[in-house]
Amino acid sequence: MTQAPPPARPHRPTVDTVLRRFEELARTAPAAPAVLHGSQELSYGELDAQANRLAHHLLDGALPTGGLVAIAVGARPALPVCLLATLKAGGTYALVAEDDPRTARGMLAALPPYLLLTDTGRRAAGLGLPEGQRTVAVDEEAGTR
């Protein structure tokens, strides 16, 4: 399943996207586990609420429709929050190699994104961002600082 064109069958929804499917699960099974990472667990309801908060923050920052968001948060619960928030805000995303600053700098220079989501300001500084790069630090609760 992708964020692709609608299915050909008339009895199916006109647009079947990852985001629509996720939001349906968040409505119908909000207490079900959605993300498991070590001892951390997020339910579909919690994941949806965190993604909504971040999406509103992205929109408040004037993310343009289709604007590119670079995501450098590593493989932890904040990653699906960032992916979903970007889609909810109408943006597109690219994952950046947050564990390899040299590769990350090259990726950011080649993209260039409207903004970068990262898990700490320290990590963003370690990426050697281009001058003027907009950055949003996502905290452990997938809120923003």
Side-chain angles (χ1 to χ4, degrees), residues 117-142:
L117 292 177
T118 187
D119 52 357
T120 64
R122 182 182 51 77
R123 180 162 294 165
L127 294 176
L129 299 176
E131 190 68 33
Q133 174 66 62
R134 292 179 185 210
T135 302
V136 174
V138 180
D139 68 18
E140 290 301 317
E141 299 302 316

Side-chain angles (χ1 to χ4, degrees), residues 50 53-54 57-58 60-61 72-73 76 78 81-82 115-124 134-145:
Q50 289 183 17
R53 278 193 301 275
L54 183 54
H57 186 79
L58 295 176
D60 289 346
V73 295
R76 50 188 210 84
V81 172
C82 291
L115 67 87
L116 170 70
L117 292 177
T118 187
D119 52 357
T120 64
R122 182 182 51 77
R123 180 162 294 165
R134 292 179 185 210
T135 302
V136 174
V138 180
D139 68 18
E140 290 301 317
E141 299 302 316
T144 57
R145 298 188 227 198

Side-chain angles (χ1 to χ4, degrees), residues 45-127:
E46 292 167 330
L47 179 56
D48 191 40
Q50 289 183 17
N52 283 337
R53 278 193 301 275
L54 183 54
H56 284 289
H57 186 79
L58 295 176
L59 290 169
D60 289 346
L63 177 68
T65 301
L68 181 60
V69 175
I71 300 173
V73 295
R76 50 188 210 84
L79 180 59
V81 172
C82 291
L83 298 174
L84 289 165
T86 301
L87 294 175
K88 285 174 177 269
T92 58
Y93 63 82
L95 300 178
V96 174
E98 50 84 34
D99 59 340
D100 181 354
R102 182 174 179 220
T103 301
R105 282 190 300 275
M107 292 172 79
L108 291 169
L111 291 171
Y114 179 78
L115 67 87
L116 170 70
L117 292 177
T118 187
D119 52 357
T120 64
R122 182 182 51 77
R123 180 162 294 165
L127 294 176

